[in-house]
């Protein structure tokens, strides 16, 4: 391993690079491991919590704590244990921007687009629960008086006193959407009504919603947006990928890597899948292990992967629980209602607030070229995925989901 000093940063790399050489790794301070990978094929920066992550390869195997780790110098291993190591892709043309990440904020300005069923319910959750981490919420809807209605309603929800414990809600124009720290994309051009009771309802929305998501991805690029672009609209995970890739295309349509970084785009759809699995686990003792040792992975949709237990994994039981959970939305539709309250709160408000607080939660983040849902948290060093010793049968299911997500254009 080679150690370097570059513009005040301690770097390490396996390759010989044209930077000032260090004879030893400093005993304190951040260490940046430089790896080499085609841009936008995975995360461009992330915290290194295990020597197995010192690689240019990334995929669902990244989630497996049983992945073999290479031999590394003792001083680098100690730095990893101390939480001082972060990886950066030196082949990204803007890699130097990643050498210094902004410090984690205490409070965030959140801007939300579209106040339909999901957006308005999500907004209510953020107003009620987000006072510790949200400074204010801007809302925008292109329909007349919709944003005005929710500004009027939400700002009238309050405790007897004090009157400033909840984040204020204000109406903003479309031009102000990217003047903040978090952008919530809740817009849809097509949402099947309650009469639709079967089929893949989420993917049915993809093409029309993709066009709309890409429009705002390009607006984020034009604004040189530095905050989080959070997708809540269905289908969450493919839309995230479209947002990331299309924001990085120039006017010619060719990739130029001048748009959003992967860590700026997050998908909020898996939280409700995990909550639905817990709902079924509470009702059926056969699934009870999920409540203490279960995990949720993959997209908010048909290719969801649930593990009834990590330490006592049962493939058949896990697939049965997955089937129930993935189609819970259709059960609500059979009752004659659109399933939006639990998604807006479990996937939206509650998961977003945990994310902003830097706590473990379920959401989708970029991993190996697709947006993969899993348990993760936002750190000062980037997005950290939970890594567990994954049973082989579970890892095989994750590889299948990864391949299906990659095939969506």
């Amino acid at each position: 391993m080679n150690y370097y000093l570059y513009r005040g940063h301690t770097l390490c790399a396996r390759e010989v690079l044209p930077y000032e050489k260090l004879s030893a790794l400093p005993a304190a301070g951040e260490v940046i491991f430089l790896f080499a990978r085609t841009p936008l094929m995975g995360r461009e920066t992330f915290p290194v919590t295990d020597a197995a992550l010192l690689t240019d390869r990334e995929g669902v195997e990244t989630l497996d704590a049983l992945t073999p780790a290479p031999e590394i110098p003792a001083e680098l291993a100690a730095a990893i244990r101390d939480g001082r190591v972060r990886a950066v892709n030196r082949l990204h043309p803007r890699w130097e921007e990643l050498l210094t990440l902004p410090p984690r904020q205490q409070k965030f300005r959140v801007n939300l687009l579209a106040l339909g069923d999901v957006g308005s319910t999500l907004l209510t959750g953020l107003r009620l629960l987000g006072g510790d981490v949200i400074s204010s919420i801007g809302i925008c809807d292109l329909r007349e008086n919709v944003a005005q209605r929710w500004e009027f309603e939400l700002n009238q929800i309050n405790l007897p006193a004090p009157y400033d414990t909840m984040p204020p809600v204000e109406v903003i124009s479309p031009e102000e959407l990217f003047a903040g720290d978090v952008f919530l994309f809740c817009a849809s051009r097509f949402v099947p009504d309650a009469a639709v009771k079967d089929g893949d309802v989420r993917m049915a929305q993809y093409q029309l919603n993709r066009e709309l998501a890409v429009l705002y991805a390009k607006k984020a690029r034009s604004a040189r947006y530095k905050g989080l672009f959070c997708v809540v609209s269905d289908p969450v995970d493919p839309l995230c990928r479209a947002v990331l890739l299309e924001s990085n295309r120039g006017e010619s349509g060719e990739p130029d890597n001048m748009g959003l970084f992967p860590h700026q785009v997050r998908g909020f759809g898996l939280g409700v899948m995990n909550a639905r699995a817990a709902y079924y686990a509470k009702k059926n003792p056969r699934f009870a292990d999920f409540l203490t040792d279960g995990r949720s992975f993959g997209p908010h949709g048909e290719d969801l992967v649930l593990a009834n237990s990590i330490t006592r994994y049962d493939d058949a039981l896990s697939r049965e629980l997955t089937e129930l959970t993935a189609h819970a939305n259709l059960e609500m539709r059979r009752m004659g209602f659109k399933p939006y309250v639990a998604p807006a709160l479990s996937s939206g408000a509650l998961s977003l607030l945990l994310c902003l607080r830097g706590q473990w939660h379920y959401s989708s983040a970029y991993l190996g070229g697709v947006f993969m849902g899993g348990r993760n948290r936002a750190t000062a060093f980037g997005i950290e995925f939970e890594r567990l010793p994954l049973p082989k049968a579970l890892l095989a299911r994750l590889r299948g989901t990864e391949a299906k997500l990659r095939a969506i254009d």
Side-chain angles (χ1 to χ4, degrees):
M1 196 69 68
N2 300 291
Y3 304 130
Y4 304 97
L5 183 64
Y6 180 73
R7 297 188 176 181
H9 299 278
T10 300
L11 311 180
C12 71
R14 292 191 174 89
E15 300 85 358
V16 175
L17 298 173
Y19 308 129
E20 180 183 345
K21 195 80 184 286
L22 293 176
S23 59
L25 192 67
E30 183 184 46
V31 178
I32 296 177
F33 172 75
L34 295 181
F35 66 94
R37 180 170 60 215
T38 302
L40 295 183
M41 294 302 293
R43 293 174 295 174
E44 308 296 0
T45 187
F46 55 88
V48 176
T49 56
D50 189 284
L53 300 178
L54 297 175
T55 175
D56 60 354
R57 296 184 299 277
E58 185 174 84
V60 292
E61 289 79 9
T62 304
L63 306 177
D64 186 9
L66 299 177
T67 301
E71 291 288 332
I72 60 172
E75 65 271 19
L76 182 56
I80 291 174
R81 288 194 299 272
D82 292 342
R84 297 195 290 122
V85 182
R86 178 166 62 91
V88 168
N89 182 11
R90 66 179 180 85
L91 294 189
H92 194 287
R94 292 157 54 211
W95 71 276
E96 292 189 27
E97 292 182 34
L98 298 173
L99 292 180
T100 303
L101 294 181
R104 283 193 52 76
Q105 296 173 231
Q106 296 300 310
K107 288 202 171 186
F108 298 79
R109 163 67 173 197
V110 175
N111 290 330
L112 187 153
L113 173 67
L115 293 156
D117 291 335
V118 170
S120 58
T121 306
L122 169 55
L123 172 65
T124 303
L126 296 181
R127 164 76 176 170
L128 290 173
L129 302 172
D132 65 315
V133 75
I134 296 176
S135 59
S136 60
I137 307 171
I139 57 174
C140 178
D141 195 292
L142 302 184
R143 297 167 296 171
E144 186 177 4
N145 285 333
V146 170
Q148 287 76 7
R149 176 245 174 137
W150 286 107
E151 184 277 335
F152 193 66
E153 292 262 41
L154 269 294
N155 285 325
Q156 292 176 35
I157 299 174
N158 230 318
L159 297 167
Y163 298 113
D164 59 355
T165 57
M166 299 180 189
V169 176
E170 60 186 53
V171 177
I172 61 172
S173 68
E175 291 73 29
E176 297 174 279
L177 283 168
F178 294 105
D181 307 304
V182 179
F183 169 65
L184 294 179
F185 179 81
C186 301
S188 290
R189 280 184 171 162
F190 171 64
V191 178
D193 62 29
V196 178
K197 297 178 172 60
D198 53 28
D200 192 342
V201 179
R202 302 177 187 97
M203 283 305 295
Q205 305 173 59
Y206 179 50
Q207 287 302 330
L208 286 176
N209 286 352
R210 185 186 191 281
E211 294 174 9
L212 193 56
V214 168
L215 172 65
Y216 283 91
K218 293 186 178 299
K219 290 179 182 292
R221 172 193 170 98
S222 296
R224 298 185 179 181
Y225 181 58
K226 301 300 182 185
L228 290 178
F229 190 122
C230 300
V231 176
V232 183
S233 301
D234 276 329
V236 171
D237 312 84
L239 289 183
C240 283
R241 191 175 182 216
V243 164
L244 176 64
L245 298 183
E246 296 303 320
S247 80
N248 280 282
R249 294 188 190 277
E251 292 184 4
S252 67
E254 293 298 314
D256 63 3
N257 301 297
M258 298 302 292
L260 297 167
F261 284 115
H263 62 268
Q264 291 182 258
V265 184
R266 303 294 287 271
F268 287 90
L270 189 57
V272 72
M273 297 307 216
N274 186 72
R276 285 169 174 164
Y279 170 85
Y280 288 117
K282 288 180 179 180
K283 286 186 168 293
N284 188 334
R286 294 170 56 243
F287 303 129
D289 277 348
F290 183 85
L291 299 173
T292 55
D293 194 38
R295 289 295 187 274
S296 302
F297 303 93
H300 175 68
E302 291 294 319
D303 298 311
L304 174 72
V305 175
L306 296 182
N308 73 301
S309 168
I310 294 296
T311 58
R312 296 177 297 278
Y313 181 72
D314 183 312
D315 195 61
L317 205 60
S318 295
R319 290 176 183 271
E320 183 181 345
L321 181 58
T322 300
E323 182 74 9
L324 283 170
T325 300
H327 299 122
N329 63 321
L330 299 182
E331 288 299 311
M332 180 62 71
R333 287 178 174 276
R334 291 185 188 110
M335 296 180 200
F337 302 98
K338 289 191 288 185
Y340 68 86
V341 176
L345 295 175
S346 288
S347 289
L350 294 174
S351 295
L352 175 65
L353 291 173
L354 289 172
C355 175
L356 297 183
R357 292 170 184 143
Q359 297 174 332
W360 291 104
H361 68 285
Y362 282 104
S363 65
S364 296
Y366 207 50
L367 189 74
V370 300
F371 277 84
M372 177 61 64
R375 197 162 178 260
N376 66 82
R377 63 180 175 179
T379 76
F381 279 13
I383 298 169
E384 178 186 355
F385 275 96
E386 181 184 52
R387 301 179 73 248
L388 296 167
L390 301 181
K392 290 182 179 179
L394 176 58
L395 191 56
R397 291 177 65 197
L398 289 174
R399 289 192 184 107
T401 282
E402 181 182 43
K404 290 178 181 179
L405 287 170
R406 200 180 304 282
I408 299 172
D409 184 8

